[in-house]
């Protein structure tokens, strides 16, 4: 469903996961034209009852929902410190979605951006979630006639 009023953002950072924008762009974000939004594509809660992923267990979490809540709160705080609005796409992280499940919730947001909005996407050289987000963002923006996004080095992968 299209968004009735375009968001007021002048800069939008597409962050595949909660930590990607802060880890990769913390020094740059405060210098970009605002209002600014960090859009976390894998920002949705995992379904209840799923087993904890190996990564989340290694980080000390006992459930996917516990990991999600902690990471969402950490992301909210980093967005606050960086002067960005936190925007979450309702799509769970990779270990908690089905094979081939694409983050289609990003599409209406991208199509609703005002002309001239600067969009930043990850380079995504060796992380499949990041590559899928970059390719989808570029495809939707191109179909909308928007300019090519800026590409950032997504740390620590690039």
């Amino acid at each position: 469903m299209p968004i009735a009023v375009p968001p007021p953002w002048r800069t939008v950072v597409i962050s595949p996961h909660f930590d990607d924008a802060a880890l990769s762009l913390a020094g740059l974000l405060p210098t970009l034209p605002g209002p600014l939004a960090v859009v976390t594509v894998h920002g949705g809660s995992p379904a209840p009852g799923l087993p904890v992923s190996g990564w989340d267990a290694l980080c000390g979490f006992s459930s996917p929902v516990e990991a999600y809540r902690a990471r969402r709160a950490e992301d909210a705080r980093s967005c606050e410190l960086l002067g960005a609005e936190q925007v979450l796409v309702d799509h769970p992280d990779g270990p908690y979605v089905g094979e081939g499940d694409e983050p289609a919730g990003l599409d209406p947001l991208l199509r609703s951006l005002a002309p001239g909005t600067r969009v930043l996407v990850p380079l995504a050289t060796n992380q499949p979630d990041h590559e899928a987000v970059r390719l989808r963002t570029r495809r939707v923006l191109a179909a909308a006639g928007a300019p090519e996004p800026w590409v950032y080095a997504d740390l620590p992968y690039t």
Side-chain angles (χ1 to χ4, degrees), residues 9-157:
W9 310 310
R10 291 187 59 208
T11 304
V12 172
V13 176
I14 306 300
S15 182
H17 305 100
F18 286 124
D19 55 357
D20 295 320
L23 288 174
S24 303
L25 297 168
L28 178 66
L29 292 183
T31 70
L32 296 174
L36 167 72
V38 171
V39 177
T40 302
V41 177
H42 293 279
S45 180
L50 293 174
V52 66
S53 73
W55 178 257
D56 286 344
L58 184 63
C59 292
F61 296 109
S62 61
S63 77
V65 173
E66 178 189 18
Y68 168 76
R69 287 181 180 149
R71 290 192 173 117
R72 183 182 67 193
E74 179 183 65
D75 186 65
R77 180 67 177 138
S78 70
C79 286
E80 179 185 343
L81 291 170
L82 294 169
E85 181 178 346
Q86 180 192 42
V87 178
L88 305 177
V89 175
D90 189 21
H91 189 80
D93 198 1
Y96 304 114
V97 296
E99 186 76 26
D101 191 7
E102 298 230 0
L106 178 63
D107 300 6
L109 183 140
L110 290 171
R111 286 192 291 263
S112 74
L113 297 175
T117 302
R118 179 177 295 152
V119 178
L120 286 77
V121 295
L123 180 58
T125 57
N126 65 357
Q127 212 291 347
D129 287 348
H130 292 216
E131 181 180 22
V133 165
R134 177 179 47 82
L135 293 173
R136 185 172 204 98
T137 299
R138 290 186 72 209
R139 187 171 53 245
V140 172
L141 290 176
E148 281 285 322
W150 285 18
V151 178
Y152 65 88
D154 41 341
L155 302 175
Y157 303 106

